[in-house]
Amino acid sequence: MSGVVRKPAIKPPVTFNPFKHHLTFLKKEIVTWRTLPWDEVEQELLQMGSNLIDLYCGRLSVEEICIQCLEFAKKENINSSHQLAQWLYPQEFRKTILADQSGWVIKQGLDNERYLHIHPAKYSPFTLRVRATTLKTVVALQVLNNSGKMTELQLQTVNQIRKDKLGLSPVKSVEKGKGIDRIWSAFNSP
């Protein structure tokens, strides 16, 4: 499987990247990633990008989110890329609220077959705003924590993984309730 990036089965017309926007999806992926060579995991982590992102931490599955967004699009008579462009005009995106009251951004996808691009809205309920490098760091820590025994973060371990596994610069500290520690806590909550 070397060099092959696995993609979740998200049906057109939806474009959604759960690798950077869905906590429960990532928790499940970590179980698989623990069985793979690091170079394969590293390739999949590239899907998280390098920007600020919004990570959905609610109870809706990837499939439920996609279905609800498709139902919303159907209700709004959005059945094609052209109709979505008309619905959005003059804006670049609009929002919808799902059953759990989380906000989701709908914008034009780059592909005519996958024209409905969705992701969590900024500062929405059940969403954490996080830097991609922070998310990658925490995911790498989780993957390399095979035994699951590491409960507290140690600065030395965090920086070793950032440097050796992710090619990132070290951090000065791991503050309780902030940044890496905040996301680490999200991954370790039920």
Side-chain angles (χ1 to χ4, degrees):
M1 186 171 160
S2 185
V4 175
V5 176
R6 296 172 305 114
K7 297 270 188 186
I10 295 173
K11 296 177 184 169
V14 176
T15 297
F16 175 55
N17 184 347
F19 287 95
K20 67 181 190 180
H21 293 301
H22 201 281
L23 177 67
T24 302
F25 172 85
L26 286 171
K27 285 180 173 182
K28 290 176 184 173
E29 286 299 294
I30 286 166
V31 174
T32 301
W33 287 334
R34 286 178 175 158
T35 68
L36 299 176
W38 178 254
D39 62 326
E40 291 180 29
V41 175
E42 190 175 27
Q43 284 301 303
E44 292 196 18
L45 292 181
L46 291 175
Q47 295 180 77
M48 291 178 186
S50 57
N51 299 327
L52 263 173
I53 55 178
D54 297 294
L55 180 66
Y56 174 74
C57 304
R59 297 207 184 276
L60 295 176
S61 69
V62 169
E63 183 180 16
E64 290 168 326
I65 291 164
C66 292
I67 287 169
Q68 288 186 34
C69 287
L70 284 169
E71 288 170 352
F72 174 79
K74 184 177 179 180
K75 186 181 95 187
E76 295 292 322
N77 294 317
I78 302 168
N79 300 305
S80 69
S81 179
H82 178 72
Q83 288 173 325
L84 176 61
Q86 287 180 321
W87 180 77
L88 288 171
Y89 185 80
Q91 302 163 333
E92 289 184 36
F93 67 89
R94 288 172 72 177
K95 294 180 187 175
T96 186
I97 305 295
L98 300 188
D100 68 349
Q101 299 306 301
S102 61
W104 287 78
V105 169
I106 297 177
K107 63 184 200 175
Q108 191 80 41
L110 299 176
D111 178 344
N112 278 340
E113 184 184 9
R114 292 188 174 274
Y115 57 85
L116 197 68
H117 183 130
I118 63 170
H119 61 80
K122 187 181 350 179
Y123 309 121
S124 167
F126 311 111
T127 301
L128 295 173
R129 193 127 173 98
V130 60
R131 294 185 188 286
T133 54
T134 299
L135 183 58
K136 286 178 191 176
T137 300
V138 171
V139 168
L141 285 161
Q142 291 284 336
V143 169
L144 298 169
N145 181 24
N146 280 328
S147 65
K149 292 180 182 173
M150 182 171 57
T151 55
E152 272 196 44
L153 294 174
Q154 302 296 322
L155 181 61
Q156 181 180 357
T157 305
V158 169
N159 283 334
Q160 182 179 359
I161 286 175
R162 284 177 64 88
K163 182 180 154 220
D164 297 346
K165 299 294 185 182
L166 299 171
L168 299 171
S169 50
V171 294
K172 293 179 183 173
S173 65
V174 178
E175 293 183 57
K176 279 281 189 214
K178 294 185 178 180
I180 292 170
D181 182 72
R182 179 177 67 126
I183 302 305
W184 175 261
S185 295
F187 272 88
N188 288 312
S189 66

